[in-house]
Amino acid sequence: MLLSHGGEPLRTAAPVVRWTVEQVLALAPDEASRKAGGRLGSAGPWSGAGCDGSGAVWGLCKGSGSKPYQTVVDTTGPAYKCSCPSRKFPCKHALGLLLLRASDEAVLGPAEVPDWAGEWLDSRRRRAAQKADPAGGGAAGAGAGPSDPAAARRRAERRAERITGGAQELEQRLTDLLRGGLAAADQSGYGLWEETAARMVDAQAPGLAGRVRELGAIPASGPGWPVRLLEECALLHLLDTAWLGIDRLPEPLAATVRTRVGLTASADGPPVRDRWLVLAQYDTPDGKIVTRRIWLYGKDSGRTALLLSFGAAGRSPGQALPVGVTIDAELTPYRGAGQLRAELGVQFGTPVPAGAPPPGSTATAAVAAYGQALRDDPWLESWPVTLRGVIPVPSGDGWQLVDAAGDTALPVTPSALSRPGLWKLVALSGGAPVTVFGECGHRGFDPLAAWADSSDDGAAGTVPLI
């Protein structure tokens, strides 16, 4: 029987998956961290390294000082702890330790957890146990003062009034733009749009502010910008009018409108426990905030879910999951028409190697799925789909994914053409059909992960494309 350092039996006997080098590098907050972590991915700077059956990995890394840095990773989170002063998360030492484990398993053999690592691991496990059973520990929710529903309702009403004022002002701005002609948008410059966006921030409507900033960038986006500007103005007008008439909307659509204008919502749907396959993870900068998106697929429920987390500029968001593993966990969905967002809850055991990819569909079915989703959320940029039996084929200046058994195809989005992942997809295919997961939208299909069609049992694994 495997024991932790405190003599307690481990909570799981499931095999702990060993991450690949690609999965580890996907956790890095930036390119500099990837390079620095890569230099620490060999046995040279490490001593006292080891792992246990619960998913913990630890080691001492020699640095510039007299004392080595103490680094420990809980791969079930994953979560990281290091005594170095770096503000990056994870730091280069955590990345180096995981890269060492990925490339040379013999260096990190089973060992007894040292006290300095065990204290942090025990603390994490206690918090996880309290979260899983708040009534048992009594600590969850301790110290939280009684809420005042009346005061919360008054605050919500005041904010709704400010958003309404902002939406009315924005409608006037759009009216002036169309009355003066779209050509005036190119002459007025970005400053006027930024001023309007600032007004939406003052109105506590960050969702409207973000869309206004996108409008300001369109006149400098190249040929055809008037058409794109008109399309985005129409969507923004639709959102404004939806907010101004929100009382007349069905509740699922009203919840979507609240989210789109920038009101925060809580994950209050019924929890769904499943074996979730981690399909993709990627970060997108948004001003001073970095947004991380993690796509999951429930093997038993057949549901696709999106985890969102946020980090300040220069720091990656705290939540991270290695692409290509399966986690046994509970997810709590958010409300809203067409919304796939969920919140990661309790995890049971450790991640295990992935099995088969999600069941795929044709290009025609993918477009139909996106169209159906637009009925519930007209502001939706894309929809997650899995294409089965497609071949990447060059087409003019771009690429497309062609149904091997049909005569339909989806163009690859322009943003994906410059990424190395496209060539990984082409190499994986070699002219043969593959299964591809990605986001299907009005700009085309953005491939995020792929599997060779000959690997229905998952033996070949997930190939991240971003």
Side-chain angles (χ1 to χ4, degrees), residues 385-397:
V385 294
T386 301
L387 300 177
R388 185 65 180 267
V390 294
I391 303 174
V393 176
S395 174
D397 295 333

Side-chain angles (χ1 to χ4, degrees), residues 93 121 200 280 329 390 436:
H93 305 101
L121 291 168
M200 296 305 103
V390 294
V436 186

Side-chain angles (χ1 to χ4, degrees), residues 159-180:
R159 182 174 183 183
E161 290 175 359
R162 285 192 287 268
I163 294 175
T164 297
Q168 292 171 340
E169 181 179 342
L170 185 54
E171 277 297 284
Q172 186 60 52
R173 173 75 177 92
L174 293 175
T175 301
D176 294 342
L177 172 65
L178 295 178
R179 182 181 295 116

